[in-house]
Amino acid sequence: MKKKTAVLFKCHNWDSVIQRSYERCKRHSNKSDFYIVYDSTKGVVEIPEHIQKTENIFLAPYSAVENLGLAWGTEVGNYGGYWYNGDYHQNLFIINNPDYDYICSVENDVVVLNDFDHIFEDMDSRNIDAVYKHVEGSKNP
């Protein structure tokens, strides 16, 4: 049975560098559904109109997280922390799109060199649910 997969390209603005990163990411996800996850908290979507017409766009404003009862960054009067917490965007996406077997979230400043579809297929064949790198905190002497 074919698994349903999605690649989430995450950004909060758009420029020529993000455009190139988007194109590279899209080239490596031919069998997966491709979404641009965009933080629309400011009320402006800078994604070019022709891309908005052809791509799946998932708007993820801070208010959507607040509506779930989650908070991040508001205690200092800004939403900066919200953007850096990738789990929030993924959770919003999953809540709104529960039919996916695998998703991969990619920040707009990450260079994509591997095929996501191959990674998803490999994960499925090896019965792997998640891929991550555990990072140890610094230890005091």
Side-chain angles (χ1 to χ4, degrees):
M1 179 172 130
K2 184 178 178 336
K3 300 290 183 175
K4 189 170 179 182
T5 60
V7 174
L8 313 178
F9 180 79
K10 188 175 129 185
C11 58
H12 62 278
N13 65 343
W14 202 272
D15 59 22
S16 61
V17 174
I18 293 172
Q19 177 77 29
R20 286 191 305 273
S21 183
Y22 148 79
E23 291 167 355
R24 185 180 299 111
C25 186
K26 178 123 173 127
R27 278 196 305 271
H28 290 290
S29 55
N30 294 313
K31 296 179 188 174
S32 296
D33 293 339
F34 189 87
Y35 287 84
I36 298 172
V37 176
Y38 192 88
D39 181 356
S40 57
T41 299
K42 297 177 193 171
V44 176
V45 177
E46 299 171 330
I47 302 168
E49 190 173 319
H50 71 280
I51 294 174
Q52 289 187 49
K53 288 180 179 179
T54 59
E55 293 295 350
N56 297 309
I57 309 292
F58 182 78
L59 299 178
Y62 185 82
S63 60
V65 171
E66 278 186 323
N67 291 339
L68 294 176
L70 303 172
W72 183 270
T74 57
E75 64 278 357
V76 293
N78 66 48
Y79 301 112
Y82 165 61
W83 185 249
Y84 299 111
N85 187 334
D87 293 345
Y88 283 1
H89 300 90
Q90 290 178 36
N91 291 342
L92 286 173
F93 180 83
I94 292 166
I95 288 168
N96 288 279
N97 299 280
D99 296 333
Y100 285 98
D101 297 295
Y102 294 106
I103 64 166
C104 180
S105 183
V106 179
E107 298 275 346
N108 66 72
D109 59 353
V110 171
V111 175
V112 175
L113 301 174
N114 293 306
D115 186 273
F116 290 110
D117 303 315
H118 175 75
I119 293 168
F120 290 141
E121 290 166 0
D122 187 48
M123 289 174 67
D124 186 42
S125 72
R126 295 169 52 196
N127 201 28
I128 296 172
D129 293 324
V131 176
Y132 64 94
K133 179 180 179 183
H134 180 75
V135 178
E136 299 269 338
S138 63
K139 296 179 182 174
N140 294 328

